[in-house]
Amino acid sequence: MTTESNPGNHAHGLDGKADIIIIGGGLVGASLAVALKPTGRNVLLVESVNPQSDDQSAHQSNDDERTVALTHSAKLIFSAMGIWKNIQAIQAQPILDIHISNRGHFGQTHLSHKDARINNTKINALGYVVPIKVIGKVLWAQLEKDKNTRIACPAYAQNLRQQRDFCSVEIIHEGKTKRIKSKLVVVADGGRSSLGQQLNHDAQFHHKARATDYAQSAVLSIVTTDRPHNGRAYERFTDEGPLALLPHSTIEDMGDAKCRYALVWTTRRDNVASRMSLSDDEFAASLQDTFGDRAGNFSNPSPRNHYPLKRLTLPDPASGRVIIIGNAAHTVHPVAGQGFNLGLRDVAELAEIIFNLPDSDPENSHRENSGLGDESMINAYTRSRKRDTEMVNKLTHGLIAVFSNDSKTLGFIRNLGLNTIEHCPPAKRFLLKRTMGLAGRQSKLALGIPLSE
């Protein structure tokens, strides 16, 4: 997409006001913009990277093979937003079950969609594996049609200023800089922008931040195997950390059907360069040696990428009229595949709170006294997201503490824990609810109910 593709929806000649400014048009920021459509609010979405750029550094470039594992909760949110059917029509591989094991030890457990219930109703899948570019394409297609959302892209935000009744941000777009006022600014850029960095160094945020460097990196690839995946995902704990294989797709090779997995291989920081330097055959052989042959024989890995693994948490991700959501507010280890899903639940909760403000009806003319961005609204959001964020943080951090450790005592505890879950239905149901993103209080969208109903 270019800024010329739909001029009526892009921020040519930015005017000086918006109800809500969203900084970051990645998956979380774009999801929020789409989720806000029923509120009738005037939204300005600011994104620095063209989603259809050919630049290899673009986070949604056309050849980007990164995937995300969507929980069942995420599927319900997208369904309530009216876009799940569009995602599914392109590519959404169901995760029917998950096999969890501890390399070199006997401990293992198996989670199946057949054991999962929502209000005593069976579900079709625990989650779905979807290419990031597919979700991005569907979200931006929706934004192109929304008359209440303006898009400044490529554009940059800087120099945030806050007053009692509004805040303002400088937007650099098409070589011009303009200061835009709004009632609420939402930062959803994963900390990429100068504005995110400004907030990170703001005393109101900086003293609250909790950060952990795991001294690990995630190595990513798409690998082919000679056996059907049958919708099964694997989480295998190794000495370096968890290795995840997510069912991706099936391809035809000389008349034979071969299956592909999305690989997320946790690697010690000091071993990343060595692993990344392996040839395709060497990489597949190393993966085979580490994982075993339960998923078949690996071959043809796609070009590898990697990124460092860190934990960042803002216990109170708001200040004044600014809310931080997604990875910019809470970056977690990918061990349980909860990162984007946690950010999407931020989106669902924030959209519902804004929709329920007194003047959410776009025909209401008393918008100046609406409460949008007021202290009560900000506090309602932070309270609503506190428990879920803390639970996911403790779960992912705890798993790494227990499973990325070569202690014999912890090894015994790991095996005992996995086998206990396997043979204890209440423990398995507990884990299933968290795997599907259904633990605790759920927002309206997370229940699959549109905001307008």
Side-chain angles (χ1 to χ4, degrees), residues 102 105-108 398 401-403 405 407-421:
N102 192 15
H105 301 277
F106 60 84
Q108 59 180 296
V402 172
F403 283 94
N405 194 305
S407 163
K408 291 183 179 180
T409 300
L410 284 178
F412 175 79
I413 293 173
R414 290 194 294 262
N415 294 325
L416 180 63
L418 287 173
N419 285 330
T420 297
I421 291 171

Side-chain angles (χ1 to χ4, degrees), residues 1 4 15 28 36-37 55 72 74 77 93 95 107 127 129 131 162 172 196 240 255 269 359 373 439 450:
M1 184 190 66
E4 288 76 29
D15 61 33
V28 172
L36 288 172
K37 182 177 180 179
D55 182 353
H72 184 76
I77 292 171
Q93 169 60 49
I95 299 174
V129 180
Q162 296 211 54
I172 304 172
E240 292 192 64
R269 191 75 47 80
D359 74 329

Side-chain angles (χ1 to χ4, degrees), residues 198-233:
Q198 175 190 340
L199 289 171
N200 186 50
H201 290 91
D202 189 313
Q204 298 179 79
F205 286 95
H206 188 66
H207 78 280
K208 304 175 186 176
R210 294 197 301 256
T212 303
D213 187 342
Y214 289 112
Q216 298 172 331
S217 289
V219 175
L220 310 178
S221 182
I222 305 294
V223 296
T224 302
T225 183
D226 59 357
R227 294 183 192 170
H229 55 58
N230 296 322
R232 171 170 288 188

Side-chain angles (χ1 to χ4, degrees), residues 265-310:
W265 193 350
T266 302
T267 304
R268 285 194 306 268
R269 191 75 47 80
D270 58 7
N271 193 35
V272 172
S274 174
R275 185 156 288 162
M276 292 295 294
S277 69
L278 297 175
S279 68
D280 287 356
D281 289 343
E282 291 170 337
F283 185 84
S286 179
L287 175 61
Q288 197 80 61
D289 180 65
T290 302
F291 184 81
D293 62 0
R294 187 182 294 270
N297 297 308
F298 298 113
S299 63
N300 301 321
S302 68
R304 273 71 74 193
N305 293 305
H306 68 93
Y307 65 92
L309 299 179
K310 299 179 181 180

